[in-house]
Amino acid sequence: MSQECSSNDALQNPNDETAAQKFQELAEAYEVIVDPESREAYDNFGSDGPGGMGGMGGMDPDDIFAELFGGMRFGPGGPMPGGPGGRKRGPRKGESSTIPYDVTLEDLYNGKEAHFNIEKGVVCGVCKGFGGRPNTKPKPCSKCEGKGITVIQRSVGRGQVGLSQVICPDCSGEGMKFKDKDRCKKCKGEKTVKEKKRVDIYIEKGMTDKQKIVLHGEGDQEPDVEPGDLIFILNQEKHPNFERAGSDLMTSVHITLSEALLGFSRILITHLDGRGIHVDSEQGRILKTGDAIVVRGEGMPTHKHPDQKGDLYVRFEVDMPSDDWLRGLDVKACALGASLDPSGLILIDTRVLQSLEQLLPPKKPDVSPRPEVVDEVEYEKADIEDFGANDENSDHWTDDDGSDEDGPNMECRQQ
């Protein structure tokens, strides 16, 4: 596109010496880049070597194209991205590979080490990434004539056909190929081979859904290319009992009508680490469905600071007695005396409480099997709207690799 613009400038402005000079430099640079022998001569001897490129004023062909194509540079495979102001310095980095990994809320609470067997591309150890046998040279690809790109027709709708440039499928955009008899016997000219490798990752306490664990340099290898990264993306499975919002946890607990009216003292929850959470409710405070309490410091660990935890919200569901219980109830036994104290608590005589407890459905027992460790906790009355108030709802990485782009998925098998 830029080449066409430069030639038009030269034709439309024949007296413009600047435009004419630019066109001449562009033409010479293009010939150097697309012809493998000229490019090799320039790389070895510079502009004064065979081929005579002194007309370019000592400029690098890549620098000319970088200026005209907005930072693009050219190689045997056609246009390649480069840095601002000219050619890209140092080896380019290969694509990163991503692997989704399902984890439970228990994994994220307690931490977990996981082991995987992956299959990745590595540089061929026989030809060292050359692709051919010793003392052989690749030849220009016959399909793309050494350019690394081919032109194909694409339908653009309404019976119209357009032309598009694509990477040559025969040489994978390199522009050069080995003859069948000259290819490396191990990699078949591909320069890389597949190799199985074990990798380990550690899911740290407090990690979040969609968080990424980056293993730098563990992606597929290519010759003269810095290996990309291997990125594991955590997918938190839905938990049957707990809901998470940031560092807070919420769970629902079913209590009987007797417990709602008269209170309870039992293990309400088996936590994500197997501990029992024992709660003594406040007698005289009636609980209704939807009421909640909060236990401070019993939520999720904070990532990188596992000793700091969020809060645990407990929402109560009152199980009402069945019709059978109501039909068998002696109505006269309900004539119980009660009064209210200034704080609103219901005051009932102990003997009356015992009688009422006998009338109501029984309270629930502790969870079974009983956890080996049981913590008796303090609690506060809670507003369920506060659940997850500190959730930043952001995408986290275990470390910063300087990029937020994910690469193609890689197949792996967990051990």
Side-chain angles (χ1 to χ4, degrees):
M1 183 182 297
S2 298
Q3 183 179 4
E4 180 181 352
C5 292
S6 298
S7 61
N8 287 340
D9 289 343
L11 293 174
Q12 294 173 5
N13 303 283
N15 297 323
D16 189 341
E17 295 182 1
T18 302
Q21 182 179 1
K22 277 288 184 184
F23 176 70
Q24 182 179 356
E25 291 177 354
L26 177 61
E28 291 183 9
Y30 182 77
E31 290 299 326
V32 170
I33 290 174
V34 299
D35 182 65
E37 294 183 1
S38 299
R39 180 68 199 227
E40 184 178 1
Y42 176 81
D43 289 339
N44 292 331
F45 303 106
S47 59
D48 296 327
M53 291 168 283
M56 295 191 311
M59 292 186 64
D60 192 310
D62 277 334
D63 291 335
I64 295 176
F65 276 98
E67 180 181 352
L68 295 174
F69 287 88
M72 298 295 288
R73 66 189 182 93
F74 277 68
M80 301 171 65
R87 56 169 42 164
K88 184 178 180 180
R89 304 298 178 186
R92 65 182 179 90
K93 186 173 182 177
E95 288 190 56
S96 295
S97 301
T98 60
I99 298 176
Y101 180 52
D102 294 334
V103 292
T104 65
L105 194 55
E106 284 85 354
D107 295 335
L108 300 176
Y109 185 92
N110 299 300
K112 176 184 176 182
E113 188 173 2
H115 313 285
F116 300 87
N117 284 327
I118 65 171
E119 189 176 68
K120 58 183 286 186
V122 298
V123 174
C124 177
V126 174
C127 66
K128 310 301 182 185
F130 179 56
R133 296 189 302 173
N135 302 320
T136 61
K137 286 187 177 181
K139 305 297 181 184
C141 174
S142 59
K143 185 175 182 65
C144 64
E145 298 178 346
K147 296 182 177 65
I149 54 176
T150 58
V151 177
I152 63 171
Q153 291 185 343
R154 292 184 183 273
S155 175
V156 294
R158 296 185 179 182
Q160 295 182 340
V161 177
L163 299 179
S164 299
Q165 287 187 337
V166 297
I167 294 177
C168 176
D170 284 15
C171 64
S172 302
E174 295 188 4
M176 309 291 285
K177 280 184 63 177
F178 284 97
K179 294 181 178 179
D180 291 345
K181 64 181 182 67
D182 293 336
R183 293 177 181 174
C184 170
K185 299 302 181 182
K186 183 175 179 64
C187 66
K188 311 300 182 185
E190 297 293 330
K191 303 182 180 180
T192 61
V193 294
K194 292 295 183 181
E195 182 179 273
K196 290 184 178 180
K197 181 180 180 180
R198 168 176 157 150
V199 296
D200 303 325
I201 64 171
Y202 184 70
I203 298 145
E204 299 174 356
K205 294 181 179 181
M207 283 187 166
T208 59
D209 184 37
K210 307 306 179 189
Q211 186 159 354
K212 300 176 178 69
I213 299 176
V214 182
L215 302 183
H216 292 286
E218 289 291 350
D220 289 326
Q221 298 178 5
E222 299 177 58
D224 303 319
V225 176
E226 180 184 348
D229 302 327
L230 184 58
I231 304 173
F232 288 85
I233 303 178
L234 304 181
N235 293 326
Q236 178 187 315
E237 298 174 347
K238 185 177 179 179
H239 198 277
N241 299 323
F242 290 93
E243 180 182 344
R244 179 184 186 181
S247 58
D248 290 343
L249 289 173
M250 182 172 68
T251 186
S252 293
V253 172
H254 286 259
I255 58 176
T256 65
L257 180 59
S258 176
E259 291 175 316
L261 295 175
L262 306 178
F264 54 83
S265 176
R266 66 179 174 92
I267 300 172
L268 283 185
I269 305 161
T270 301
H271 214 315
L272 295 169
D273 57 359
R275 290 179 299 121
I277 302 298
H278 187 282
V279 175
D280 286 317
S281 69
E282 184 179 6
Q283 289 191 353
R285 180 78 66 185
I286 295 177
L287 294 173
K288 303 178 295 298
T289 292
D291 286 350
I293 61 173
V294 58
V295 182
R296 303 294 181 188
E298 284 293 349
M300 289 293 295
T302 302
H303 186 219
K304 299 298 185 183
H305 303 282
D307 293 335
Q308 302 175 12
K309 294 182 180 180
D311 300 325
L312 171 62
Y313 288 78
V314 181
R315 184 178 182 274
F316 292 107
E317 299 282 348
V318 180
D319 296 334
M320 299 303 292
S322 65
D323 294 340
D324 293 336
W325 172 83
L326 185 61
R327 282 192 292 267
L329 180 64
D330 185 357
V331 178
K332 293 181 180 180
C334 294
L336 304 173
S339 61
L340 294 176
D341 76 350
S343 66
L345 293 178
I346 300 176
L347 300 178
I348 304 178
D349 185 83
T350 303
R351 290 175 298 175
V352 174
L353 278 177
Q354 293 174 350
S355 300
L356 182 58
E357 190 168 351
Q358 291 175 359
L359 292 173
L360 293 173
K363 296 181 179 181
K364 290 190 175 182
D366 280 336
V367 295
S368 180
R370 182 183 176 87
E372 294 182 3
V373 179
V374 176
D375 290 342
E376 294 193 13
V377 298
E378 301 291 333
Y379 67 91
E380 305 170 17
K381 187 177 180 180
D383 185 348
I384 207 67
E385 296 293 331
D386 294 334
F387 170 63
N390 297 322
D391 182 14
E392 298 179 357
N393 194 28
S394 59
D395 189 20
H396 299 284
W397 294 68
T398 57
D399 53 16
D400 184 11
D401 70 339
S403 170
D404 59 358
E405 295 183 358
D406 297 339
N409 289 342
M410 177 180 286
E411 294 295 330
C412 70
R413 180 171 59 87
Q414 186 177 3
Q415 286 189 324

